[in-house]
Amino acid sequence: MNFTLKVWRQKNASTPGKFVTYEAKNISADASFLEMLDIVNNELDSKGEEAIMFDHDCREGICGMCSLHINGLPHGPKLQHQEDPAPGEKPRGRTTCQLYMREFKDGDTIVVEPFRAKAFPIIRDLVVDRSAFDRIMNKGGYISVNTGTAQDANCLPIGKKEADLSMDAAECIACGACVASCKNASAMLFVSAKVSQFALLPQGQPERYKRVVAMVDQMDKEGFGNCTNEGECEANCPKQISLANIARMNRDYIWAKVMS
Amino acid sequence: MALNSNIPSGPIEKKWENRKFEMKLVNPANKRKYTVIVVGTGLAGAGAAASLGELGYNVLSFCFQDSPRRAHSIAAQGGINAAKNYQNDGDSVHRLAYDTVKGGDYRARESNVYRLAQNSVSIIDHCVALGVPFAREYGGMLSNRSFGGAQVSRTFYARGQTGQQLLLGAYSAMKRQVEAGKVKEYTRHEMLDLIVVDGVARGIVTRNLITGKLESYVGDAVCLCTGGYGNLYFLATYAKGCNVTAIWRAYKRGAYMANPCYTQIHPTCIPVTGDYQSKLTLMSESLRNDGRVWAPKKAGDNRPPNQIPDDERDYYLERKYPAFGNLAPRDISSRAAKEACDEGRGVGPGGRGVYLDFRDAIKRDGLAKIRERYGNLFDIYQEITNENAYETPMRIYPAIHYTMGGLWVDYNLMSNLQGLFVLGEANFSDHGANRLGASALMQGLSDGFFIIPYTMGGYLAHVKPGDPKWKIDTNHPVVKDTEREVQARLDKLMAVKGKRPVDVLHRELGLAMWEKCGMARNEKGLKELLQTIPEMRSKFWKDVAVTGEQGELNQVLERAGRVADYMEFGELLALDALERRESCGGHFREESQITEGPEKGECKRDDENFCHVAAWEYKGEGNAPVRHTEPLNYEVFKPATRSYK
Amino acid sequence: MNFSSIVKKTFMAFTGLALVGFLVTHLAGNLMIFSPEKFNAYAHMLEQNPLLVPAEIALLAIFLVHIYMALKLTAENRAARTESYEVRNTAGESTWASRNMMITGVIILFFVIIHVKMFKYGDKTGAGGLWGLVIREFKQPQVAIFYVASMIFMGFHLSHAISSALQSLGALKPGVRPKVRRLGAVIGWGLAIGFAILPLWAWLIAKDEPSMPNIQIKLGAADLPRGTSTSTSTPAGAENKPAAPAHAE
Ligand SMILES: Cc1cc2nc3c(=O)[nH]c(=O)nc-3n(C[C@H](O)[C@H](O)[C@H](O)COP(=O)(O)OP(=O)(O)OC[C@H]3O[C@@H](n4cnc5c(N)ncnc54)[C@H](O)[C@@H]3O)c2cc1C
Ligand code: HEM
Ligand code: HEM
Ligand code: SF4
Ligand code: F3S
Ligand code: FES
């Protein structure tokens, strides 16, 4: 297959960027999107031109390192249902590294941009700085327990339902697609996923309200926008983190403020 | 220098306790005067940073990703073992230790393995306390599953993402220390060299991947927790950034490299489909519970699988291992698949694949049942291959998945280089010649959370942080020298200005390694390999195309540096494989197999001559490395033939 | 003062819901327009109420807080993405309404100002009193069309607003959001259509003022100073109903 790529090139944070057009020729339909970029890059390398920089690591949809805004959506076009879905079942989410070229049409023009948000400054080309997420986590994305002080694990029974809900929230891979897709560049889905994971577990209760306030305040400081309940974040989230987490976080936050 | 494994005295179950008591303690008020450098933020690194920070040491934590949470540990799927005996099925610390020693084909250090099994219990407790959402039963108790190589159900899991959840737990503990000011994070920093002052590891030289500047950091001790080197083979289940650089540089500064030839090959991965492919994806081994593995009987039979009648199919695992059938252990199934393909009976593009067929299971249990059990995996398979495995059989092939070898460490996890500690997959590990499923996560956490905080104290208690003779800063001449050498290497890479992309050269190296030093190895092949690698290396230094500049984010340069190290390391691995003239675990030497009886074709261990760790010492550019050995003594678990027939 | 994002959202949601509450009662009151007597009586009753002024002040305050927060949120949200995307798509969740709350909000604001000027500060002393004023205004096509058009924008605003407010306040449990979203949109559009019917009816169906047989102006208030008139009309045709009690001046 052949594609025309319009790729955002930007030397560094302070230099303005622009789109550059590349041709990707003879690409196997079974190649992944990142493999297609590898091929383009290899060609650039052999011509002595600068390769396109993009973040990636695991290439199996779990590390959260890959990003890219492809044809107007973070992680590219969403999966469609293959066959008759069970009622209410949504197609699985996926990351850019799990996107395959067969989903495009031969001859397509594909626009590739970095995730854009003030809180995610561009480092180079398609690589952005998501360390804001880490700073939010510093403020309370943990349960304060020192190594070696824990009781036997089964002394703390946790209902399967709560455990499952907590696990649903814990699946977040911190990719930042929620921020990228949100018209307000809001990080509510990411923050609420972590807040919810702990709010749903008994271990998380002692710091529950302190945590939510500290994490949300840091989120605001980082310059993310405010959520106006668009719902795009959930629809673009590769791990399908639910908006119910945002509601839960709002509830906890309001409650924390009312109580103090 | 003699290898002193430094194993504590006493009966095996008391060794660790004895050691903890023997070691000197650091006065709590003094801990803040020490600085420990921790490279890597996987389970081992994040655990170490967190636990050392909790104790009050100053920790500098490094990783090359943009966040510590993205370390490769995140990709582990299956689960983590622990001798909790929650299922009341007869598990114990002793049994877990035994299974691990046997699974490693009696090539692991027994005392370490025993301690690992002891710590496994606390790991689960601690992880639950950290909020790791393990799978649970309706009654609220933790749930377990069974895993390969064990007859008890002792594997704890969190959906198909155990590694992610455990890593996020360790990461969160580390984040707490970051907030407390005890841990300083340096993300997007790649360690490019080790700073050794007077024979003691004191710091690292890193490249800030954003600015491209070299930055050195010094402290009182260094922990390398930098993971495995499986990417040497190019196609592997590893994340793309995994590298040997950190431990290779330490090796070149004097740390011994142990058993590099021990690599693990996982039988059920999605096969290679074309030369555009950048990595291989693991499909859970659990699929073999219901799927039947086969290859066509006739070589070159390329009819669609569903048109090949049953009597023209070779269900070779069932045929060769009637007792275990499709559930034969990893190394054995991997080799059997290779054999079939070597005979030209492989399927799919390139003929490197065999079928994993669910037709009979679907007939027996119904589509719904199979979908319920494996739907998620079938989806992944479909996304990657665009084939519907409910209708046509899956194609699978073995792939590199884990590396048991690594830097040599003593019982305290300290290398032969004073002050250099090595944790997790980066050390030569507790797994001997083969690792059992669900035990790498256990080892990473055990090393990071439950061993290093003690042994680091034991080491630092002998160090006087205020002593002017000990104190150094980044202006120390050794630091400057090391920086200069790193700079020279980078300059050299930039200066090549060749035409061949790094990936292409890496792929060639990987392919050669895979062919000659993959699932099966023989003397002739290894000798050829030892010829080709230096040729490839010199071609690399002539042809490699490194574009861009040094003083900026430059992923091409990053990759080139890693591959340059693989070009050297591959040679040592091949040499180690050549010198280990026996078969054991993942290291299968064709010359050393059982030639008759029911075990025909299986690994033939040579306990007489090879019941030891091989630790390689670097002797300088152009000189052959020296092979040291550490004999392995089994006091409790006496070596026996490892049979699965 | 600098509130955190969630506090701002909470204000937004509470004020928004209060405004929805006002709209519901306002619509209920306005639906009496089909009966001039009741309509005027109701208006009269309201004006009698000593709580009216405090209520009006509260309503104004709510509006102002809602608008202030809206401006602040929107400004911050714009600032959160300095460079915009070349291509932007939706994965199907966001709606035109949700993306354009500020635009629809400003239209509502514009509408309310004109509206209040027109009716609250309009000349209610003509034939038919307040009712007559309303009908007369709506008989002008441009007014009726302006109203209907404004209501369409208000419908968009509300179609997102109600479920959004509940989500902001954390009232939504897992799984119910899609339902609440639909319900919120139905209520929102219901309100908008409810309001829009009034000008349409007045314009196209209601009988013209001269042929308003039921209405007689009993008490011309023209000679009273504006604003002191509390009883401007009494439906004379309501034989069996007592006339609205004339206010003792
Ligand atoms: C697909 C897959 C599935 C697996 N499933 C299981 C399983 O189910 N159960 C199980 O027990 N094990 C499993 N394993 C094995 C297990 O995940 C790993 O062995 C283990 O997580 C290694 O942890 P680690 O902390 O040693 O290193 P890693 O997690 O690999 O971390 C390495 C760290 O070092 C850093 N680093 C590396 N090089 C440098 C450098 N030069 N400079 C700076 N930083 C550097 C990286 O940034 C990273 O933070 C699996 C492995 C794979 C590949
Ligand atoms: C009767 C009039 C109005 C009603 C009933 C109303 C109602 C609401 C409600 C319920 C919300 C949802 C709040 C939330 O999501 O938490 C909302 C949001 C909003 N309103 Fe209004 N509103 C009205 C007028 C206005 C006006 C006059 C403006 C602007 C000048 C405005 C601007 C906004 C904006 C920008 C939002 C989106 C903000 C957000 O969701 O965070 N609204 N409105
Ligand atoms: C379209 C149909 C509507 C009709 C027929 C209508 C009618 C009226 C009338 C007659 C009054 C004057 C009451 C008096 O002075 O006693 C009034 C006041 C008012 N209306 Fe409406 N209205 C309509 C829609 C709306 C809408 C959609 C809004 C809000 C967005 C609104 C907001 C107000 C406000 C704020 C006042 C002033 C209330 C006060 O200060 O007491 N109206 N309306
Ligand atoms: S919530 Fe979803 S989209 Fe956002 S960071 Fe987590 S996984 Fe990515
Ligand atoms: S898309 Fe944005 S507005 Fe809220 S619901 Fe999601 S964060
Ligand atoms: S590269 Fe890890 S999620 Fe895509």
Side-chain angles (χ1 to χ4, degrees), chain A residues 57 60 102 134 147 152 203, chain B residues 54 86 128 171 279 383:
Chain A
D57 200 23
E60 51 185 72
R102 69 180 85 91
D134 265 316
T147 312
D152 184 86
Q203 304 93 301
Chain B
E54 285 163 14
Y86 280 161
V128 167
Y171 159 81
K279 78 159 276 167
E383 269 163 40

Side-chain angles (χ1 to χ4, degrees), chain A residues 11 35 45 54-55 57-60 92 102 124 134 138 147 152-153 158 168 171 174 197 203, chain B residues 54 65 67 70 84 86 125 128 131 140 159 171 175 188 240-241 278-279 383-384 547 552-553 555:
Chain A
K11 186 110 180 114
E35 284 163 353
D45 279 344
F54 59 92
D55 266 332
D57 200 23
C58 74
R59 297 209 176 180
E60 51 185 72
R92 285 157 29 86
R102 69 180 85 91
R124 191 171 182 198
D134 265 316
N138 289 345
T147 312
D152 184 86
I158 302 174
D168 286 345
E171 286 198 18
Q197 178 195 342
Q203 304 93 301
Chain B
E54 285 163 14
Q65 290 95 343
S67 162
R70 308 208 200 280
K84 278 287 194 187
Y86 280 161
D125 298 342
V128 167
R159 301 225 170 117
Y171 159 81
K175 291 268 101 175
R188 292 199 200 262
K240 294 301 288 173
S278 59
K279 78 159 276 167
E383 269 163 40
I384 295 179
T547 52
E552 59 185 18
L553 176 80
Q555 294 168 332

Side-chain angles (χ1 to χ4, degrees), chain B residues 115-337:
Chain B
R115 171 180 60 184
L116 173 64
Q118 287 173 315
N119 285 343
S120 71
V121 176
S122 324
I123 291 173
I124 301 301
D125 298 342
H126 187 48
C127 289
V128 167
L130 284 172
V132 172
F134 282 121
R136 302 222 167 223
E137 308 291 351
Y138 282 98
M141 297 294 143
L142 289 162
S143 175
N144 288 122
R145 51 163 71 138
S146 315
F147 234 70
Q151 285 150 315
V152 291
S153 196
R154 62 158 81 98
T155 304
F156 294 79
Y157 62 100
R159 301 225 170 117
Q161 325 173 342
T162 317
Q164 186 200 12
Q165 295 311 320
L166 291 173
L167 180 60
L168 293 185
Y171 159 81
S172 74
M174 176 174 145
K175 291 268 101 175
R176 178 167 156 247
Q177 295 310 313
V178 172
E179 185 59 11
K182 295 315 295 179
V183 175
K184 268 183 96 170
E185 299 176 298
Y186 297 88
T187 58
R188 292 199 200 262
H189 275 68
E190 182 166 21
M191 168 181 163
L192 293 182
D193 218 329
L194 182 72
I195 296 167
V196 182
V197 181
D198 301 329
V200 182
R202 295 300 302 276
I204 57 172
V205 178
T206 66
R207 180 165 176 267
N208 178 327
L209 300 183
I210 297 178
T211 63
K213 298 245 159 37
L214 291 187
E215 297 172 7
S216 296
Y217 298 86
V218 291
D220 300 294
V222 177
C223 295
L224 296 187
C225 318
T226 51
Y229 49 78
N231 272 350
L232 164 62
Y233 292 80
F234 189 74
L235 287 180
T237 64
Y238 282 76
K240 294 301 288 173
C242 293
N243 62 83
V244 76
T245 296
I247 60 172
W248 185 246
R249 294 287 139 204
Y251 164 80
K252 291 186 103 175
R253 297 273 168 209
Y256 291 179
M257 182 73 76
N259 299 336
C261 77
Y262 289 168
T263 52
Q264 184 170 67
I265 290 158
H266 198 289
T268 51
C269 299
I270 300 178
V272 182
T273 45
D275 57 9
Y276 53 81
Q277 216 164 348
S278 59
K279 78 159 276 167
L280 297 174
T281 303
L282 180 81
M283 298 302 284
S284 171
E285 223 177 319
S286 63
L287 288 168
R288 287 196 283 143
N289 280 306
D290 282 306
R292 295 179 70 193
V293 179
W294 64 275
K297 277 190 179 152
K298 259 202 331 265
D301 187 346
N302 49 18
R303 286 174 288 173
N306 287 334
Q307 287 173 24
I308 302 182
D310 251 9
D311 56 353
E312 290 178 47
R313 296 174 174 197
D314 177 16
Y315 292 94
Y316 58 83
L317 285 178
E318 296 169 22
R319 172 171 61 80
K320 288 187 180 167
Y321 307 96
F324 272 71
N326 294 300
L327 283 175
R330 281 184 186 176
D331 43 352
I332 290 170
S333 329
S334 294
R335 278 198 291 274

Side-chain angles (χ1 to χ4, degrees), chain B residues 344-418:
Chain B
R345 301 190 287 125
V347 298
R352 289 273 142 202
V354 293
Y355 290 121
L356 179 63
D357 201 337
F358 288 83
R359 182 197 62 184
D360 299 341
I362 290 172
K363 234 185 263 162
R364 185 183 66 229
D365 298 342
L367 186 70
K369 259 261 134 54
I370 297 298
R371 190 189 293 260
E372 185 194 312
R373 269 181 222 153
Y374 309 111
N376 174 27
L377 294 167
F378 278 56
D379 283 352
I380 294 178
Y381 182 80
Q382 173 142 32
E383 269 163 40
I384 295 179
T385 61
N386 203 22
E387 285 172 22
N388 181 346
Y390 296 106
E391 281 156 20
T392 48
M394 269 184 196
R395 286 175 297 108
I396 54 162
Y397 199 66
I400 293 281
H401 171 63
Y402 184 84
T403 55
M404 280 77 69
L407 290 183
W408 182 89
V409 288
D410 69 5
Y411 186 79
N412 288 355
L413 302 185
M414 189 162 84
S415 129
N416 58 306
L417 268 186
Q418 291 289 301

